Every structure is written in C-alpha cells, then in structure tokens.
Amino acid sequence: MKHYEVEILDAKTRDKLCFLDKVEPNATIAEIKNLFTKSHPQWYPARQSLRLDPKGKSLKDEDVLQNLPVGTTATLYFRDLGAQISWVTVFLTEYAGPLLIYLLFYFRVPFIYGPKYDFISSKHSVVHLACICHSFHYIKRLLETIFVHRFSHGTMPLRNIFKNCTYYWGFAAWMAYYINHPLYTPPTYGDEQVKLALIIFLFCQLGNFSIHIALRNLRPAGSKTRKIPYPTKNPFTWLFLLVSCPNYTYEVGSWIGFAIMTQCLPVALFSLVGFIQMTIWAKGKHRSYLKEFRDYPPLRSPIVPFLL
C-alpha cells in the first residue's frame, strides 16, 4: 500500500507548519488534524480549518485523503479558527440568562423599580401569565439543548457567546422591564386578546418541539448524516410540505403570540429582529438542501409558505 506525504502550510504566509510522512491513504481529515495537533498543541482539532486552496472551503472532518484531488504528496492549507466553545455550552448560557433575568424583574427585586415596589406582585393576571410563558419557553429550550438537539458541528468560535448573550440577555431585560413595570397596562382587548395570544403561543411551542423531535430522528446519534426532512404522522410536522425550516416558522409564531399577549413594543421588536435573523438562517439551509439533494421538494419556501 502506498503512503501519502502531507505538507501543511499557513494559508496566509505560506510558511511550512508541519510535514507528515507515511500517512495512510484512508486517513480522514479529522485524523490528519489530530496528527497536526501533536506538533502544534496550541491548535487543537476544533480550531483547525484545513483546505486545498488558501482561500477555498474548509475540508470536512470525514473527507478521506485518497478521495481528494491531490497526488501522493498533498499540500493542505491551515487557518486558525480561534478559541472554540461547545454549542451545548453556548446554548445553555444564552438560554439560562433570559430565564433568570426575566424573573428578577418579575419578582421586582430591589434597585429596579424603586423601594416601594420591591417584591410587590403585579395586580394584572396577564403579567403572571407572561412570566409563565416566557419561563416555559426558555426551560423548553434548555431541556431540548440537553436531551433533543444533535449538532452537526461540535463547537463554535468563543467570541460568538458574547454576541449571542448580549442579544438574548439584553432583549430579555428590556422586555421584562416593561411587562413587569408597576405602570404596565393590560392589552387593549383584555382577556379575549390574551386568550387568543395564549392559544397561538402554545400551538407554536408544540409545533416547534415537534419539528425538533423530527429533525433529531433524522440524524442517528454520533453521526453527521444529512437527510431531507419529511412530514411524519405528527400533524405539526406537516408544515414540512411548505417550508424547509418550520422550526423557525413556529418560533417566530410563538413570539408573535407573546407580543399580542403583552402588547409590548420591545417584544414586537424582538420578534421582528428574530424573524429577520431566522429568515437568513432558513434561506441558507434551504440553499444547502437544494444544492445537496437533487430530489428536494420544489414547493418548499425557506420559512414563510409561498412567500419567503
């Protein structure tokens, strides 16, 4: 069996960083990353991006050396992705924050609304319902992160946690300040508006959970297999007939319900910003589905049926 020689150069400076001799032809990129780490311990595998061209796309961990368009002496280019943190850690941090921050405003801890309101409960039932819904949403997200989600990438850049937490924690504080404020007034159409909003919120939360379960069942534990998601016997998954990312559709729907329930401008803005961001993600996933699967259902839109 012929062996390969692998030369790893810095993608920016073209300096030689490492030379690997007698590499097995069936070695994966993940295995080459581990060999590279032995000579450069500061660059653990998750920090490494190896590519065939300095400005090209990163090779996948599962790519096999002998299947790449290289000779028996392969040249790979290295880029440092920076300090990495696990997706699970990021999600737990960015979701635990809003849960706890909202409760500080709900219980009106000192130094928020003034001494005479410290630990004084709101007289409006919608304020208590909003707290239950908000807490339920983030407790659901935390439990899904631990027990449901399977991540195709194990890590993300450490800097992202600061950006994500600023977004989630900041909006949670802004929403909670107004909803739990002593001068807060209930929605214009009273209980009828709150009941309708609660139905929308719970329907979309159940739909979102159903999609997450369906997506989990598509990917066996420990694998990075990608398949086309299709509707199951669960009626909430039938939205897959019309959109590629119904989990985002339901997520936006939940926040619209919460905005109607509280009639609070910061909640409406959070819903709008979330919709814009999720639309960007949905379009990206939709494009990758179309690129990867020739038989991808043509009727599907990224996030909003027939429109977007």
Side-chain angles (χ1 to χ4, degrees), residues 42 47 82 89 92 100 108 147 151-152 178 206 225 249 264 279 283 287 302:
Q42 75 274 28
R47 283 190 75 144
T89 303
L92 292 180
L100 298 175
R108 294 178 178 171
F147 299 110
F151 301 103
S152 55
Y178 285 103
L206 195 53
T225 307
T249 312
C264 179
T279 299
K283 284 184 172 181
R287 279 194 300 269

PDB file of all heavy atoms in Angstrom, residues 42 47 82 89 92 100 108 147 151-152 178 206 225 249 264 279 283 287 302:
ATOM      1  N   GLN A  42      -1.096  23.938  20.551  1.00  0.00           N
ATOM      2  CA  GLN A  42      -1.952  25.118  20.755  1.00  0.00           C
ATOM      3  C   GLN A  42      -3.126  25.150  19.784  1.00  0.00           C
ATOM      4  O   GLN A  42      -4.124  25.829  20.030  1.00  0.00           O
ATOM      5  CB  GLN A  42      -1.124  26.412  20.631  1.00  0.00           C
ATOM      6  CG  GLN A  42      -0.717  26.817  19.211  1.00  0.00           C
ATOM      7  CD  GLN A  42       0.577  26.165  18.750  1.00  0.00           C
ATOM      8  OE1 GLN A  42       0.922  25.076  19.204  1.00  0.00           O
ATOM      9  NE2 GLN A  42       1.300  26.833  17.848  1.00  0.00           N
ATOM     10  N   ARG A  47      -9.992  23.972  16.441  1.00  0.00           N
ATOM     11  CA  ARG A  47      -9.525  25.293  15.997  1.00  0.00           C
ATOM     12  C   ARG A  47      -9.051  25.283  14.557  1.00  0.00           C
ATOM     13  O   ARG A  47      -8.830  26.321  13.953  1.00  0.00           O
ATOM     14  CB  ARG A  47      -8.352  25.769  16.872  1.00  0.00           C
ATOM     15  CG  ARG A  47      -8.731  26.293  18.217  1.00  0.00           C
ATOM     16  CD  ARG A  47      -7.542  26.951  18.905  1.00  0.00           C
ATOM     17  NE  ARG A  47      -7.246  28.260  18.333  1.00  0.00           N
ATOM     18  CZ  ARG A  47      -6.825  29.301  19.051  1.00  0.00           C
ATOM     19  NH1 ARG A  47      -6.655  29.182  20.346  1.00  0.00           N
ATOM     20  NH2 ARG A  47      -6.554  30.458  18.467  1.00  0.00           N
ATOM     21  N   GLY A  82      -9.599  30.250  15.757  1.00  0.00           N
ATOM     22  CA  GLY A  82      -9.704  30.941  17.043  1.00  0.00           C
ATOM     23  C   GLY A  82     -10.218  30.018  18.131  1.00  0.00           C
ATOM     24  O   GLY A  82     -10.597  28.870  17.880  1.00  0.00           O
ATOM     25  N   THR A  89     -22.642  24.382  25.464  1.00  0.00           N
ATOM     26  CA  THR A  89     -22.311  25.415  26.452  1.00  0.00           C
ATOM     27  C   THR A  89     -22.886  26.762  26.050  1.00  0.00           C
ATOM     28  O   THR A  89     -23.444  27.495  26.872  1.00  0.00           O
ATOM     29  CB  THR A  89     -20.778  25.529  26.617  1.00  0.00           C
ATOM     30  OG1 THR A  89     -20.260  24.247  26.980  1.00  0.00           O
ATOM     31  CG2 THR A  89     -20.412  26.544  27.680  1.00  0.00           C
ATOM     32  N   LEU A  92     -26.770  26.695  26.483  1.00  0.00           N
ATOM     33  CA  LEU A  92     -27.169  26.697  27.890  1.00  0.00           C
ATOM     34  C   LEU A  92     -26.962  28.084  28.503  1.00  0.00           C
ATOM     35  O   LEU A  92     -27.795  28.556  29.281  1.00  0.00           O
ATOM     36  CB  LEU A  92     -26.373  25.653  28.678  1.00  0.00           C
ATOM     37  CG  LEU A  92     -26.664  24.181  28.340  1.00  0.00           C
ATOM     38  CD1 LEU A  92     -25.815  23.248  29.202  1.00  0.00           C
ATOM     39  CD2 LEU A  92     -28.143  23.848  28.517  1.00  0.00           C
ATOM     40  N   LEU A 100     -33.417  33.685  33.978  1.00  0.00           N
ATOM     41  CA  LEU A 100     -33.132  34.264  35.294  1.00  0.00           C
ATOM     42  C   LEU A 100     -33.339  35.776  35.303  1.00  0.00           C
ATOM     43  O   LEU A 100     -33.892  36.329  36.263  1.00  0.00           O
ATOM     44  CB  LEU A 100     -31.690  33.929  35.696  1.00  0.00           C
ATOM     45  CG  LEU A 100     -31.394  32.427  35.850  1.00  0.00           C
ATOM     46  CD1 LEU A 100     -29.914  32.204  36.118  1.00  0.00           C
ATOM     47  CD2 LEU A 100     -32.226  31.829  36.985  1.00  0.00           C
ATOM     48  N   ARG A 108     -39.567  41.772  41.043  1.00  0.00           N
ATOM     49  CA  ARG A 108     -39.279  43.166  41.388  1.00  0.00           C
ATOM     50  C   ARG A 108     -38.248  43.261  42.512  1.00  0.00           C
ATOM     51  O   ARG A 108     -38.520  43.829  43.589  1.00  0.00           O
ATOM     52  CB  ARG A 108     -40.563  43.905  41.756  1.00  0.00           C
ATOM     53  CG  ARG A 108     -41.514  44.059  40.577  1.00  0.00           C
ATOM     54  CD  ARG A 108     -42.804  44.753  40.948  1.00  0.00           C
ATOM     55  NE  ARG A 108     -43.679  44.938  39.789  1.00  0.00           N
ATOM     56  CZ  ARG A 108     -44.939  45.359  39.861  1.00  0.00           C
ATOM     57  NH1 ARG A 108     -45.466  45.670  41.035  1.00  0.00           N
ATOM     58  NH2 ARG A 108     -45.666  45.486  38.773  1.00  0.00           N
ATOM     59  N   PHE A 147     -31.294  17.292  25.859  1.00  0.00           N
ATOM     60  CA  PHE A 147     -31.847  15.970  25.556  1.00  0.00           C
ATOM     61  C   PHE A 147     -32.266  15.728  24.098  1.00  0.00           C
ATOM     62  O   PHE A 147     -32.440  14.582  23.693  1.00  0.00           O
ATOM     63  CB  PHE A 147     -33.069  15.698  26.454  1.00  0.00           C
ATOM     64  CG  PHE A 147     -32.749  15.691  27.921  1.00  0.00           C
ATOM     65  CD1 PHE A 147     -33.208  16.710  28.745  1.00  0.00           C
ATOM     66  CD2 PHE A 147     -31.970  14.681  28.478  1.00  0.00           C
ATOM     67  CE1 PHE A 147     -32.911  16.716  30.104  1.00  0.00           C
ATOM     68  CE2 PHE A 147     -31.670  14.675  29.833  1.00  0.00           C
ATOM     69  CZ  PHE A 147     -32.138  15.693  30.647  1.00  0.00           C
ATOM     70  N   PHE A 151     -25.968  18.181  17.224  1.00  0.00           N
ATOM     71  CA  PHE A 151     -25.281  19.239  16.489  1.00  0.00           C
ATOM     72  C   PHE A 151     -24.343  18.660  15.445  1.00  0.00           C
ATOM     73  O   PHE A 151     -23.558  17.757  15.733  1.00  0.00           O
ATOM     74  CB  PHE A 151     -24.496  20.126  17.456  1.00  0.00           C
ATOM     75  CG  PHE A 151     -25.373  20.777  18.510  1.00  0.00           C
ATOM     76  CD1 PHE A 151     -25.409  20.288  19.802  1.00  0.00           C
ATOM     77  CD2 PHE A 151     -26.165  21.854  18.182  1.00  0.00           C
ATOM     78  CE1 PHE A 151     -26.212  20.874  20.756  1.00  0.00           C
ATOM     79  CE2 PHE A 151     -26.981  22.455  19.133  1.00  0.00           C
ATOM     80  CZ  PHE A 151     -27.003  21.963  20.427  1.00  0.00           C
ATOM     81  N   SER A 152     -24.418  19.220  14.226  1.00  0.00           N
ATOM     82  CA  SER A 152     -23.522  18.765  13.157  1.00  0.00           C
ATOM     83  C   SER A 152     -22.104  19.266  13.404  1.00  0.00           C
ATOM     84  O   SER A 152     -21.136  18.656  12.988  1.00  0.00           O
ATOM     85  CB  SER A 152     -24.029  19.244  11.792  1.00  0.00           C
ATOM     86  OG  SER A 152     -24.189  20.643  11.786  1.00  0.00           O
ATOM     87  N   TYR A 178     -40.498  46.374  30.994  1.00  0.00           N
ATOM     88  CA  TYR A 178     -41.773  46.998  30.669  1.00  0.00           C
ATOM     89  C   TYR A 178     -42.974  46.137  31.057  1.00  0.00           C
ATOM     90  O   TYR A 178     -43.982  46.649  31.543  1.00  0.00           O
ATOM     91  CB  TYR A 178     -41.821  47.356  29.180  1.00  0.00           C
ATOM     92  CG  TYR A 178     -40.993  48.574  28.855  1.00  0.00           C
ATOM     93  CD1 TYR A 178     -39.746  48.453  28.251  1.00  0.00           C
ATOM     94  CD2 TYR A 178     -41.435  49.850  29.171  1.00  0.00           C
ATOM     95  CE1 TYR A 178     -38.966  49.570  27.978  1.00  0.00           C
ATOM     96  CE2 TYR A 178     -40.666  50.978  28.902  1.00  0.00           C
ATOM     97  CZ  TYR A 178     -39.425  50.826  28.308  1.00  0.00           C
ATOM     98  OH  TYR A 178     -38.662  51.939  28.059  1.00  0.00           O
ATOM     99  N   LEU A 206     -45.663  23.922  20.714  1.00  0.00           N
ATOM    100  CA  LEU A 206     -45.825  22.492  20.462  1.00  0.00           C
ATOM    101  C   LEU A 206     -45.323  22.135  19.067  1.00  0.00           C
ATOM    102  O   LEU A 206     -44.671  21.096  18.861  1.00  0.00           O
ATOM    103  CB  LEU A 206     -47.307  22.106  20.615  1.00  0.00           C
ATOM    104  CG  LEU A 206     -47.646  20.615  20.746  1.00  0.00           C
ATOM    105  CD1 LEU A 206     -46.830  19.966  21.860  1.00  0.00           C
ATOM    106  CD2 LEU A 206     -49.128  20.419  21.003  1.00  0.00           C
ATOM    107  N   THR A 225     -24.870  12.644   9.433  1.00  0.00           N
ATOM    108  CA  THR A 225     -25.689  12.340   8.261  1.00  0.00           C
ATOM    109  C   THR A 225     -26.749  13.413   8.047  1.00  0.00           C
ATOM    110  O   THR A 225     -27.398  13.865   8.982  1.00  0.00           O
ATOM    111  CB  THR A 225     -26.400  10.977   8.451  1.00  0.00           C
ATOM    112  OG1 THR A 225     -25.441  10.001   8.781  1.00  0.00           O
ATOM    113  CG2 THR A 225     -27.137  10.573   7.195  1.00  0.00           C
ATOM    114  N   THR A 249     -40.364  28.889  11.652  1.00  0.00           N
ATOM    115  CA  THR A 249     -41.717  29.417  11.449  1.00  0.00           C
ATOM    116  C   THR A 249     -42.495  29.390  12.757  1.00  0.00           C
ATOM    117  O   THR A 249     -43.119  30.385  13.156  1.00  0.00           O
ATOM    118  CB  THR A 249     -42.467  28.583  10.383  1.00  0.00           C
ATOM    119  OG1 THR A 249     -41.638  28.407   9.235  1.00  0.00           O
ATOM    120  CG2 THR A 249     -43.759  29.270   9.976  1.00  0.00           C
ATOM    121  N   CYS A 264     -46.629  44.682  24.054  1.00  0.00           N
ATOM    122  CA  CYS A 264     -45.424  45.380  24.500  1.00  0.00           C
ATOM    123  C   CYS A 264     -44.482  45.583  23.307  1.00  0.00           C
ATOM    124  O   CYS A 264     -44.130  44.621  22.622  1.00  0.00           O
ATOM    125  CB  CYS A 264     -44.740  44.555  25.595  1.00  0.00           C
ATOM    126  SG  CYS A 264     -43.239  45.265  26.239  1.00  0.00           S
ATOM    127  N   THR A 279     -34.860  34.191   9.121  1.00  0.00           N
ATOM    128  CA  THR A 279     -35.047  34.165   7.659  1.00  0.00           C
ATOM    129  C   THR A 279     -33.694  33.968   6.964  1.00  0.00           C
ATOM    130  O   THR A 279     -33.581  33.198   6.001  1.00  0.00           O
ATOM    131  CB  THR A 279     -35.719  35.458   7.165  1.00  0.00           C
ATOM    132  OG1 THR A 279     -37.008  35.575   7.773  1.00  0.00           O
ATOM    133  CG2 THR A 279     -35.880  35.450   5.661  1.00  0.00           C
ATOM    134  N   LYS A 283     -32.918  30.682   4.770  1.00  0.00           N
ATOM    135  CA  LYS A 283     -32.511  30.768   3.357  1.00  0.00           C
ATOM    136  C   LYS A 283     -31.203  30.010   3.126  1.00  0.00           C
ATOM    137  O   LYS A 283     -31.041  29.338   2.094  1.00  0.00           O
ATOM    138  CB  LYS A 283     -32.358  32.232   2.939  1.00  0.00           C
ATOM    139  CG  LYS A 283     -33.689  32.942   2.721  1.00  0.00           C
ATOM    140  CD  LYS A 283     -33.475  34.363   2.208  1.00  0.00           C
ATOM    141  CE  LYS A 283     -34.799  35.005   1.811  1.00  0.00           C
ATOM    142  NZ  LYS A 283     -34.612  36.379   1.296  1.00  0.00           N
ATOM    143  N   ARG A 287     -30.908  26.759   0.704  1.00  0.00           N
ATOM    144  CA  ARG A 287     -29.935  26.685  -0.401  1.00  0.00           C
ATOM    145  C   ARG A 287     -29.087  25.416  -0.301  1.00  0.00           C
ATOM    146  O   ARG A 287     -28.819  24.756  -1.313  1.00  0.00           O
ATOM    147  CB  ARG A 287     -29.027  27.923  -0.409  1.00  0.00           C
ATOM    148  CG  ARG A 287     -29.637  29.148  -1.055  1.00  0.00           C
ATOM    149  CD  ARG A 287     -28.593  30.217  -1.339  1.00  0.00           C
ATOM    150  NE  ARG A 287     -27.929  30.664  -0.117  1.00  0.00           N
ATOM    151  CZ  ARG A 287     -28.357  31.681   0.624  1.00  0.00           C
ATOM    152  NH1 ARG A 287     -29.434  32.356   0.266  1.00  0.00           N
ATOM    153  NH2 ARG A 287     -27.696  32.026   1.710  1.00  0.00           N
ATOM    154  N   PRO A 302     -38.259  28.815   2.188  1.00  0.00           N
ATOM    155  CA  PRO A 302     -37.402  28.701   3.366  1.00  0.00           C
ATOM    156  C   PRO A 302     -38.145  28.764   4.704  1.00  0.00           C
ATOM    157  O   PRO A 302     -37.974  27.901   5.561  1.00  0.00           O
ATOM    158  CB  PRO A 302     -36.434  29.880   3.217  1.00  0.00           C
ATOM    159  CG  PRO A 302     -36.365  30.126   1.745  1.00  0.00           C
ATOM    160  CD  PRO A 302     -37.763  29.834   1.253  1.00  0.00           C
TER     161      PRO A 302
END
